């Protein structure tokens, strides 16, 4: 930031904090009335609420003052000069942005930013507003993401046909696409209770014995889900970190079906959200679409690994 702009911004922030402090006793009673009238469900704000509001305003004023000091003395630029910011950014690009399976230069970058941004946004909303009521639109519509992911994987057969790969590798990719697509369809079916959620089908047979009396298998095991999700969440993050940073495979099949390192932040937040099974399922639904989209784009715009595989196949034929 330009030094003059930084100083002006800092002085303005300091002046604003001082003005707020001097005029506090004049506007605070009006703010209490405004809060009591429009921001409380019963139009009542007790003494504890008033004290919390006063403390929050003092804290906000102090933050504005400190921010002003930082900018007025140009501390941001001095800090940026001391930190190896360029090296950090270079390392982030090298580690998280590169995806050798896709010819599109910025695809790895886009998936890193999108997956990280969505995960952080959901996490921020939950921290700010609390966990939502899952038995509503979120629970009803989020499973559709699994169906979208399965469709994307099946559509991926079209670009796969155009790739010059050995029949052995092509069969492995086809089997992988089918297996993952079936997995996502199975999750979708279980989440919507195999149509019961949409068509109000009566629960029949043994399904009446499960914990929610719904036409789904996973509801037989509800009490252990908390432990299963915790294990799966942390184990998947640890295992993927091994593939990402320790034993980096150059094989086409593994690189195609193992989630890329660009999903690192998403898997990290997912591992930390296993305490709430419904929240973890929401993250996993988002992951399924991103995962399937990446596979589709890699097959449609094949990168260097595909060409290396094609070259190896041609050499083996010769």
């Amino acid at each position: 930031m330009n030094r003059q702009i930084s100083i002006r911004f800092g002085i303005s922030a300091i002046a604003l904090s001082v003005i707020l402090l001097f005029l506090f006793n004049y506007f605070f009673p009006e703010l209490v009335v405004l809060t009591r009238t429009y921001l409380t469900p019963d139009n009542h704000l007790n003494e504890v609420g008033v004290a919390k509001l006063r403390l929050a305003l003092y804290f906000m004023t102090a933050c504005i003052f400190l921010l002003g000091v930082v900018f007025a003395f140009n501390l941001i630029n001095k800090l940026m000069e001391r930190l190896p910011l360029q090296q950090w950014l270079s390392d982030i690009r090298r580690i998280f942005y590169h995806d050798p399976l896709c010819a599109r230069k910025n695809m790895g970058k886009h998936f890193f930013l999108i997956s990280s941004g969505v995960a952080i946004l959901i996490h921020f909303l939950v921290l700010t507003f609390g966990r939502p009521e899952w038995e509503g639109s979120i629970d009803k519509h989020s499973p559709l993401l699994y169906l979208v992911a399965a469709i994307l994987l099946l559509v991926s057969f079209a670009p796969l046909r155009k790739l010059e790969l050995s029949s052995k590798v092509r069969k492995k990719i086809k089997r992988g696409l089918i297996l993952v697509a079936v997995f996502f369809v199975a999750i979708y079916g279980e989440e919507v209770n195999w149509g019961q959620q949409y068509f109000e089908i009566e629960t029949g047979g043994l399904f009446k014995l499960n914990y929610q009396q719904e036409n789904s298998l996973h509801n037989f095991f509800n009490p252990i889900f908390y432990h299963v999700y915790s294990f799966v969440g942390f184990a998947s993050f640890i295992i993927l970190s091994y593939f990402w940073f320790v034993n980096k495979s150059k094989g086409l099949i593994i690189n195609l079906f193992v989630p890329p390192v660009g999903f690192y932040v998403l898997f990290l937040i997912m591992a930390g959200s296993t305490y709430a099974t419904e929240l973890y399922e929401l993250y996993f639904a988002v992951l399924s679409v991103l995962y399937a989209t990446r596979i589709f784009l890699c097959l449609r715009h094949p990168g260097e690994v595909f060409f290396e595989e094609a070259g190896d196949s041609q050499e083996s034929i010769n």
Side-chain angles (χ1 to χ4, degrees):
M1 181 183 289
N2 182 277
R3 187 171 184 274
Q4 293 298 324
I5 296 176
S6 176
I7 292 174
R8 290 173 184 173
F9 181 82
I11 293 174
S12 300
I14 293 173
L16 176 61
S17 64
V18 172
I19 292 172
L20 287 174
L21 192 61
F22 274 107
L23 298 179
F24 188 86
N25 291 330
Y26 292 97
F27 70 81
F28 183 72
E30 300 298 328
L31 185 61
V32 171
V33 174
L34 182 67
T35 304
R36 180 185 295 117
T37 305
Y38 297 103
L39 300 179
T40 57
D42 54 356
N43 294 330
H44 177 71
L45 190 66
N46 57 25
E47 294 182 0
V48 176
V50 173
K52 288 181 178 179
L53 182 61
R54 185 188 301 274
L55 183 62
L57 287 174
Y58 280 139
F59 179 75
M60 183 187 71
T61 305
C63 288
I64 294 174
F65 178 81
L66 291 175
L67 186 67
V69 171
V70 168
F71 279 93
F73 289 94
N74 202 29
L75 298 180
I76 291 292
N77 288 337
K78 293 178 180 179
L79 180 63
M80 297 291 281
E81 291 174 358
R82 292 179 178 274
L83 293 176
L85 186 60
Q86 292 300 324
Q87 182 61 44
W88 290 352
L89 292 175
S90 177
D91 291 338
I92 290 174
R93 295 190 193 100
R94 176 176 54 84
I95 296 173
F96 297 108
Y97 286 8
H98 181 59
D99 193 336
L101 261 69
C102 187
R104 287 192 170 184
K105 183 178 179 181
N106 293 321
M107 196 191 79
K109 172 184 176 181
H110 292 156
F111 273 104
F112 173 73
L113 295 177
I114 292 172
S115 62
S116 303
V118 171
I120 293 171
L121 176 62
I122 294 175
H123 191 68
F124 174 77
L125 291 176
V126 171
L127 288 177
T128 304
F129 302 105
R131 282 185 284 173
E133 294 293 333
W134 296 106
E135 299 299 330
S137 59
I138 295 177
D139 185 56
K140 185 175 181 179
H141 298 299
S142 60
L144 289 172
L145 296 177
Y146 296 116
L147 191 59
V148 172
I151 293 172
L152 279 171
L153 291 170
L154 296 178
V155 171
S156 299
F157 277 88
L160 176 61
R161 294 194 191 99
K162 301 178 183 179
L163 296 179
E164 296 181 359
L165 299 170
S166 66
S167 59
K168 183 179 179 181
V169 173
R170 192 183 302 274
K171 286 180 181 178
K172 288 182 178 180
I173 295 177
K174 286 182 179 179
R175 290 171 184 168
L177 292 174
I178 292 172
L179 285 174
V180 180
V182 169
F183 174 68
F184 286 148
V185 169
I187 296 178
Y188 171 73
E190 283 290 303
E191 288 296 317
V192 300
N193 303 312
W194 300 101
Q196 185 178 27
Q197 182 171 306
Y198 298 119
F199 305 110
E200 299 182 357
I201 302 171
E202 291 187 6
T203 304
L206 291 175
F207 292 113
K208 291 183 178 180
L209 302 177
N210 69 33
Y211 286 89
Q212 293 188 0
Q213 296 185 347
E214 295 174 340
N215 292 331
S216 56
L217 294 174
H218 72 276
N219 282 321
F220 284 101
F221 309 100
N222 276 9
I224 66 172
F225 270 7
Y226 182 84
H227 304 286
V228 171
Y229 279 21
S230 297
F231 174 79
V232 171
F234 283 100
S236 60
F237 179 72
I238 293 171
I239 293 171
L240 286 172
S241 297
Y242 173 77
F243 280 105
W244 290 334
F245 304 115
V246 180
N247 186 19
K248 297 181 181 180
S249 175
K250 297 182 180 179
L252 171 60
I253 304 299
I254 293 179
N255 275 296
L256 182 63
F257 288 103
V258 171
V261 68
F263 291 169
Y264 177 84
V265 175
L266 175 57
F267 273 97
L268 176 63
I269 293 179
M270 285 177 64
S273 68
T274 53
Y275 64 91
T277 56
E278 298 288 356
L279 180 59
Y280 185 80
E281 289 175 359
L282 176 60
Y283 281 123
F284 195 78
V286 172
L287 170 66
S288 67
V289 174
L290 294 174
Y291 175 81
T293 303
R294 177 201 172 247
I295 290 179
F296 172 76
L297 291 176
C298 287
L299 293 173
R300 188 171 182 180
H301 306 282
E304 57 195 56
V305 176
F306 282 94
F307 296 112
E308 291 173 3
E309 184 67 34
D312 294 339
S313 301
Q314 189 64 34
E315 289 178 5
S316 63
I317 293 174
N318 295 333

